[in-house]
Amino acid sequence: MEDKRYIISETAGITGLEPHVLRYWEEELALKIPRNELGHRYYTKELIDLFCYIKELKEKGYQLKAIRSELTKSTELSAVQSPVAEINNRAADDRMEKFLAIIGNVVTQSLKANNSALKEDISNEVSDRVIKQVDYLFRVNEEAEEERYKRFDETIRNYQKSAKEVAAGSDNKGKRKKNKSSYRKI
């Protein structure tokens, strides 16, 4: 599988360098930039990393001549050290895996140790919220019920009042009839 290829404008965007700077550094530092079938430059991740490294050196004040000699030395060393570097990389990967396993175990043990405390805290908080919500709902329900009873009581009183008025009105009619009939007999 081939590495992803980047055109010069993409590389410029990634590195934060202008395309003409990339071409200039290629020439001045004698970098071997591959070209595609049409003769256009293309860049790989390794070359982008190299340009970022060169940019860092330039920002530190290095001249291109010093950077070229540094790159030449590192190229010569990398050819000699590549098998050793591969072994070191494997060892570093193994150490990283062991470290991640240790960290994973520590986190797991910590969660297990604090699990009951976390459950209790969450349970208490949820219980408090539920109790407050239930209390609120009871209050609302009681207020609505109290209002309903007040209206019911008022309706009963109004009914009783109107019943008394009707009764009083019918008593007055009966007395009037008796009074009228007693006047006639005389």
Side-chain angles (χ1 to χ4, degrees):
M1 184 170 132
E2 287 186 23
D3 287 338
K4 182 169 177 8
R5 295 180 176 188
Y6 300 90
I7 61 175
I8 195 165
S9 59
E10 292 173 323
T11 304
I14 293 169
T15 60
L17 299 166
E18 295 291 327
H20 68 88
V21 173
L22 296 173
R23 288 189 289 271
Y24 177 72
W25 286 358
E26 174 188 352
E27 184 180 325
E28 289 296 313
L29 299 173
L31 300 174
K32 293 180 182 171
I33 305 297
R35 296 180 182 256
N36 64 14
E37 303 78 30
L38 298 174
H40 298 280
R41 294 173 177 88
Y42 70 86
Y43 301 86
T44 61
K45 180 69 176 139
E46 291 79 21
L47 287 171
I48 291 173
D49 291 341
L50 177 65
F51 278 110
C52 289
Y53 175 66
I54 294 168
K55 182 180 175 184
E56 285 178 29
L57 293 175
K58 283 294 287 176
E59 288 172 351
K60 290 180 182 178
Y62 284 83
Q63 299 296 319
L64 285 179
K65 194 173 188 178
I67 293 172
R68 184 181 329 152
S69 68
E70 178 67 28
L71 292 177
T72 305
K73 287 178 191 173
S74 65
T75 305
E76 290 169 0
L77 281 175
S78 66
V80 171
Q81 293 179 344
S82 63
V84 174
E86 188 175 323
I87 293 169
N88 287 339
N89 286 341
R90 284 187 201 150
D93 289 344
D94 289 344
R95 286 192 303 268
M96 181 56 83
E97 286 179 25
K98 288 177 183 176
F99 174 73
L100 290 175
I102 290 169
I103 292 297
N105 288 337
V106 167
V107 169
T108 302
Q109 289 173 356
S110 176
L111 285 173
K112 284 179 182 177
N114 293 317
N115 196 17
S116 61
L118 288 172
K119 281 182 184 178
E120 189 174 322
D121 288 346
I122 291 171
S123 176
N124 288 340
E125 188 171 328
V126 169
S127 295
D128 289 345
R129 287 183 182 179
V130 168
I131 289 170
K132 287 178 183 177
Q133 188 67 28
V134 168
D135 285 346
Y136 172 75
L137 291 174
F138 274 131
R139 266 187 283 127
V140 167
N141 193 23
E142 285 175 356
E143 289 171 2
E145 197 171 307
E146 183 70 28
E147 185 62 34
R148 193 169 62 244
Y149 282 132
K150 284 180 183 178
R151 283 184 285 165
F152 183 66
D153 190 43
E154 185 179 336
T155 303
I156 291 173
R157 286 193 179 135
N158 287 338
Y159 178 76
Q160 289 173 342
K161 186 177 178 181
S162 54
K164 283 181 183 178
E165 289 174 357
V166 167
S170 63
D171 282 345
N172 288 337
K173 285 183 183 179
K175 288 180 183 178
R176 286 185 203 161
K177 285 184 182 180
K178 286 182 182 179
N179 288 340
K180 286 183 183 180
S181 59
S182 52
Y183 289 118
R184 287 187 190 167
K185 290 184 183 177
I186 305 183

